[in-house]
Amino acid sequence: MPPKNMAKGWRRFLEEESEHQWLAISLFFVFIIIGAFAIHGTSKLTGMDIVKNAALEDSRVLDISYQNDGDHYSVSHTTEGTYLYHYYDDERTDIINPSTDSSASDIRFMTELNDGTVATSIEENSILILDGSTMSNLSLDTDRGTFKIIDLSENLNEQSNSMLLITDEGDNITFRGITNNGVTSSPMPNNVGVEWQKIEALSDDEWIATGIQISSSSGQNDNPASPEIKPFIGHIIWTGGFTAPMLNDMYPAPSGEFHSMIRMGDEMVIAGTTQTTIFDSNDLTFEHSTITSSAAIKGDCGVVWFFGSINSDSVIKWTKDGHEVIDLQHKLPIEIESHGSSSNIIYMHGMNSNGDNKILTFDYSSYGSIESGRGFLNFSFILIFSIIFAVMGWNIIERMKL
């Protein structure tokens, strides 16, 4: 088309269709403004619900280990005592019932092993293995002493079939390794007065542990009645055999308490009440973040969700690329005491402001999905945006042909 005729075509198009074009553009901008308000109004976290404990009503969940579809093992306390039970296919089977056995009150941990069974301990030099509603006992040798087990973590190297234990030796709390036949190593000698509490495997023959150090010396205003409590992170190496585990490095945090450890590839995310620390096993460094929380749970695709204390109004979604603060539709209704995840659902157990034990569930797959309000609006916005511009472009092309 010659430039002269093209100019005439544009002039005629603008003269004849200006009102329609400006009307369409005006309506589009109105749609953008309304859509922006709607998207902002639905930007809060969805997929959360609060329910009762169907397995054991009015119970306080002290520890829990989830499997598929919400099935789980639980240590739960009621007015009758402490239960250890297995919940499968909507039915509860008591493994330890307080009416006949009070040993469940001695359970301090539950750890899922590589084969899907769950390990705990109720006696010295003994590991209780839970497989469905049955249990078996792994007895440890007593040649190198007797001890209680505070926590354990299986070696990520499945061929080694070994574990690292946190043990209460009576006068100190330390580490021991055990082989698959129950032979224990010597205890680690350099525990430096830390009361170790939790341990998680990071890589082959490598673990991360957290604990606290209690001191009555708190500076100039020493007060034995108000001791200083300092949290610690330990990097432990044990290659098997009778040799004692080695504390390779240790980091003291300024305050608070570490409550969760989540392995993310070569890194360990260590969440605490006053800070979050990330340990990189490649260069053996600690990186610190100001993220605070009461619970941290791994989702999918390298995501960790951080939840605060009761009445907090936001959660934090963390990935290796950074973190995002997401507002809650309602304030967090419980103080979280135990938690787990199963089939895209995070389960948080705790007590509400009225003293009732509740379960807060969160379907993290719903956040940003097409089924959620935010996801539907985003999809609608993109769809309508594309249709309007396609129609406008088609009209311009048709008019240019005249």
Side-chain angles (χ1 to χ4, degrees):
M1 180 181 294
K4 184 177 181 181
N5 293 336
M6 182 180 292
K8 289 181 178 180
W10 271 107
R11 189 183 305 114
R12 185 169 62 253
F13 169 73
L14 292 174
E15 289 176 352
E16 294 179 0
E17 301 296 330
S18 60
E19 293 184 3
H20 299 87
Q21 294 295 323
W22 284 112
L23 177 61
I25 293 173
S26 299
L27 291 176
F28 178 67
F29 278 110
V30 170
F31 170 74
I32 290 177
I33 295 172
I34 295 175
F37 277 106
I39 290 174
H40 177 73
T42 56
S43 62
K44 296 184 178 181
L45 192 67
T46 59
M48 302 191 76
D49 193 16
I50 191 160
V51 297
K52 293 182 179 180
N53 189 344
L56 188 61
E57 292 187 4
D58 301 324
S59 62
R60 179 185 176 188
V61 178
L62 304 177
D63 202 352
I64 197 160
S65 177
Y66 277 93
Q67 281 72 52
N68 295 328
D69 300 322
D71 300 331
H72 58 267
Y73 299 89
S74 179
V75 180
S76 298
H77 183 75
T78 69
T79 55
E80 301 171 350
T82 303
Y83 287 80
L84 170 63
Y85 66 81
H86 180 225
Y87 190 70
Y88 177 76
D89 199 18
D90 296 331
E91 291 187 6
R92 189 190 91 220
T93 302
D94 293 339
I95 300 173
I96 298 178
N97 189 302
S99 62
T100 57
D101 189 350
S102 62
S103 61
S105 59
D106 296 325
I107 294 177
R108 303 182 65 171
F109 70 94
M110 285 197 298
T111 300
E112 184 174 353
L113 304 180
N114 294 332
D115 61 1
T117 60
V118 171
T120 186
S121 180
I122 56 177
E123 298 177 347
E124 289 186 343
N125 293 68
S126 177
I127 298 175
L128 189 66
I129 307 297
L130 306 177
D131 187 3
S133 300
T134 62
M135 58 183 180
S136 58
N137 193 65
L138 174 62
S139 297
L140 310 182
D141 72 84
T142 58
D143 294 342
R144 292 175 176 79
T146 59
F147 49 83
K148 295 179 181 178
I149 302 173
I150 297 174
D151 196 11
L152 64 82
S153 180
E154 200 169 17
N155 199 326
L156 290 185
N157 183 357
E158 297 183 9
Q159 295 181 352
S160 69
N161 293 320
S162 61
M163 302 180 188
L164 195 66
L165 315 179
I166 300 178
T167 59
D168 185 349
E169 308 279 343
D171 55 348
N172 66 351
I173 294 176
T174 185
F175 301 96
R176 287 178 184 257
I178 63 166
T179 61
N180 61 334
N181 57 2
V183 177
T184 64
S185 73
S186 300
M188 186 185 74
N190 56 333
N191 67 326
V192 294
V194 175
E195 296 184 7
W196 300 106
Q197 299 170 327
K198 297 179 182 295
I199 188 167
E200 290 288 342
L202 177 58
S203 65
D204 295 354
D205 307 327
E206 186 180 26
W207 287 262
I208 294 294
T210 59
I212 58 173
Q213 189 178 68
I214 302 176
S215 173
S216 59
S217 299
S218 55
Q220 297 180 350
N221 299 321
D222 292 348
N223 184 0
S226 301
E228 181 184 25
I229 300 176
K230 181 177 290 187
F232 276 82
I233 301 172
H235 177 224
I236 296 89
I237 296 174
W238 182 62
T239 55
F242 301 120
T243 305
M246 178 183 68
L247 182 61
N248 183 62
D249 196 7
M250 190 168 66
Y251 164 75
S255 62
E257 182 179 5
F258 293 111
H259 53 72
S260 305
M261 287 185 285
I262 301 172
R263 185 170 61 89
M264 304 290 286
D266 295 329
E267 296 179 337
M268 184 73 79
V269 178
I270 309 158
T273 55
T274 59
Q275 73 173 55
T276 294
T277 299
I278 301 172
F279 179 79
D280 190 334
S281 64
N282 293 315
D283 53 11
L284 304 181
T285 57
F286 294 96
E287 180 183 349
H288 313 296
S289 169
T290 56
I291 296 176
T292 62
S293 61
S294 296
I297 306 104
K298 185 177 181 180
D300 59 356
C301 301
V303 175
V304 178
W305 295 90
F306 291 87
F307 296 85
S309 57
I310 188 171
N311 293 324
S312 57
D313 53 12
S314 63
V315 301
I316 295 176
K317 179 183 178 183
W318 180 94
T319 65
K320 289 186 177 181
D321 297 327
H323 67 272
E324 174 187 4
V325 179
I326 307 172
D327 292 334
L328 294 170
Q329 290 184 330
H330 306 284
K331 291 184 177 181
L332 199 70
I334 63 172
E335 192 67 58
I336 302 171
E337 292 186 309
S338 59
H339 53 77
S341 63
S342 171
S343 304
N344 295 333
I345 304 294
I346 290 175
Y347 299 86
M348 292 163 280
H349 300 259
M351 187 177 295
N352 64 14
S353 56
N354 295 325
D356 302 320
N357 295 294
K358 298 290 183 179
I359 304 175
L360 180 64
T361 64
F362 169 46
D363 181 359
Y364 54 79
S365 66
S366 68
Y367 178 69
S369 68
I370 189 64
E371 290 87 359
S372 68
R374 175 65 178 271
F376 178 75
L377 283 173
N378 287 342
F379 174 76
S380 300
F381 185 83
I382 294 172
L383 179 63
I384 296 174
F385 171 88
S386 301
I387 291 173
I388 289 176
F389 269 85
V391 171
M392 292 175 66
W394 179 78
N395 285 332
I396 289 174
I397 293 173
E398 289 296 315
R399 290 296 178 182
M400 290 294 295
K401 293 179 179 179
L402 298 179

